[in-house]
Amino acid sequence: MEKEPLDQLGLFDLGGLPQAPTLEIPKGPAGHFWTENKARLIERYLFYFVQITRHGTYIDGFAGPQDLEDLDAWSARLVIESQPGPESFRLQRFHLFDTNAKKVPFLERLRDSRPDLQISVCPRDFNEEVCRLLKPEVIRPTEATFCLIDQHTFECRWSTLQTLAAYKTPKIELFYFFAEGWLNRALANTTVGTEGLTAWWGNDGWRTLSSVRGALRAQHLARRFRYELGYAYSPPFPVYMSRQSQQVVYYMVHASDHPKAIQQMVRAYREQVSAREPVEQPSLPMELAGPPGL
Ligand SMILES: C[S@@+](CC[C@H](N)C(=O)[O-])C[C@H]1O[C@@H](n2cnc3c(N)ncnc32)[C@H](O)[C@@H]1O
């Protein structure tokens, strides 16, 4: 498949277009809004996902609660607690990863709260462990599989996405979180070093990211899921800071091989995000490369 290198996309010839300011993410109710919105979107999408697939495995590579005092906004909890009993279609298998020793007990308690589901907790680096997971005896190639990559900023290596994407056909679905609100600041004051940034982005293209407007760099990243990882669809969805604000905190790239999956995501997004926003929002998906009928 033909690649689209950065220079061919013309992303860096943007003249005087302004850059998005770095966001200060508030603690308390305003900060709560987008994390809860994000978790509800994931939970709602997976409800529709399982109505189509009738079964499924959920992988959460960065699963610990973002805020230990705000467990209502914790995606893994919402997804697991919302699973119905065995008489209904549901996700049956869950693989939860987190390196933070304070967060692992939360994952273990969540696991223990649903003995009717198969939930494994792994307190190690998802980038290192993903290969152990992707074996036919752990995840059958026919198993409908969804993977949440809810990284803070630079934690998920590009090679991890390559491994996930290469495992089976149709591919493992991904929700990949791409920081927007603080990306420029994080790039300027990186704690992971240039090697860490190259591992995250997959090449040294991260060096020019700060000079590109947020929506364009999200579109560029989304294209890479199709041209480099081979997904059929990969629209990026903005996650907003608050009900009133049009400031984007993250873009969430939804990578899938199924046109129906993207349609269900648009439905979940409209129900969970757009419908809750009184201000005018861009209609979705912002990258109009999805299947017909959206
Ligand atoms: C943004 S938070 C996840 C938020 C969570 N999904 C939620 O809904 O609240 C990112 C998590 O990834 C964990 N983490 C960071 N690097 C990791 C790695 N290499 N492997 C696994 N977990 C990691 C952090 O400890 C943190 O709990």
Side-chain angles (χ1 to χ4, degrees):
M1 204 176 282
E2 192 186 334
K3 300 265 192 302
E4 282 193 317
L6 286 177
D7 51 353
Q8 283 177 17
L9 292 171
L11 286 180
F12 301 109
D13 184 20
L14 298 173
L17 284 176
Q19 281 181 23
T22 292
L23 295 183
E24 294 303 328
I25 304 297
K27 297 232 179 280
H32 180 89
F33 173 81
W34 65 270
T35 48
E36 189 178 324
N37 230 0
K38 178 180 81 170
R40 285 177 186 278
L41 173 63
I42 292 162
E43 184 268 313
R44 177 61 61 98
Y45 171 71
L46 284 170
F47 171 81
Y48 292 134
F49 172 94
V50 91
Q51 302 312 308
I52 295 171
T53 62
R54 303 181 170 207
H55 72 277
T57 288
Y58 172 90
I59 305 169
D60 195 331
F62 303 83
Q66 180 149 326
D67 182 347
L68 297 179
E69 290 173 11
D70 186 7
L71 301 182
D72 290 343
W74 178 20
S75 308
R77 177 184 170 196
L78 259 61
V79 172
I80 287 173
E81 288 189 350
S82 67
Q83 294 309 307
E87 66 287 354
S88 308
F89 300 140
R90 63 177 184 171
L91 300 168
Q92 295 106 326
R93 281 175 273 278
F94 298 81
H95 300 276
L96 311 178
F97 296 79
D98 205 287
T99 45
N100 185 323
K102 281 194 189 134
K103 299 189 177 185
V104 171
F106 286 80
L107 294 173
E108 291 171 340
R109 278 199 289 279
L110 184 60
R111 176 195 63 199
D112 296 345
S113 72
R114 287 298 299 259
D116 57 321
L117 302 172
Q118 294 174 40
I119 304 176
S120 75
V121 173
C122 179
R124 288 192 283 276
D125 184 337
F126 183 58
N127 298 294
E128 302 290 338
E129 296 296 316
V130 68
C131 293
R132 286 180 213 261
L133 195 59
L134 302 183
K135 293 180 176 163
E137 60 272 27
V138 185
I139 296 179
R140 281 177 288 118
T142 51
E143 179 89 1
T145 308
F146 172 93
C147 179
L148 180 64
I149 311 274
D150 187 5
Q151 61 186 335
H152 185 267
T153 315
F154 301 131
E155 290 79 9
C156 184
R157 296 182 203 143
W158 189 258
S159 60
T160 300
L161 301 178
Q162 289 172 317
T163 303
L164 287 161
Y167 179 59
K168 68 187 197 70
T169 305
K171 295 189 192 312
I172 294 176
E173 278 204 22
L174 303 177
F175 270 16
Y176 176 88
F177 281 82
F178 181 44
E180 164 58 22
W182 53 88
L183 185 65
N184 288 349
R185 183 172 55 194
L187 286 164
N189 306 300
T190 177
T191 52
V192 297
T194 56
E195 273 183 26
L197 292 175
T198 301
W200 165 71
W201 190 250
N203 57 47
D204 69 356
W206 57 267
R207 291 181 189 280
T208 41
L209 283 179
S210 308
S211 60
V212 182
R213 276 196 315 152
L216 284 178
R217 66 188 173 197
Q219 285 172 15
H220 166 62
L221 174 70
R223 276 190 206 105
R224 293 184 66 202
F225 279 75
R226 297 199 302 281
Y227 290 98
E228 296 181 29
L229 301 180
Y231 281 91
Y233 307 105
S234 60
F237 292 80
V239 178
Y240 295 97
M241 161 84 99
S242 72
R243 222 176 270 276
Q244 291 77 24
S245 158
Q246 298 217 35
Q247 288 181 299
V248 177
V249 182
Y250 277 102
Y251 287 96
M252 199 199 70
V253 176
H254 179 194
S256 175
D257 284 347
H258 290 285
K260 275 191 185 165
I262 306 298
Q263 286 171 346
Q264 296 310 322
M265 176 56 187
V266 171
R267 182 175 170 193
Y269 188 93
R270 288 201 173 118
E271 288 171 12
Q272 285 304 324
V273 181
S274 304
R276 293 153 63 94
E277 303 281 343
V279 294
E280 196 179 328
Q281 299 288 356
S283 60
L284 291 164
M286 45 172 288
E287 182 183 65
L288 297 171
L294 290 178

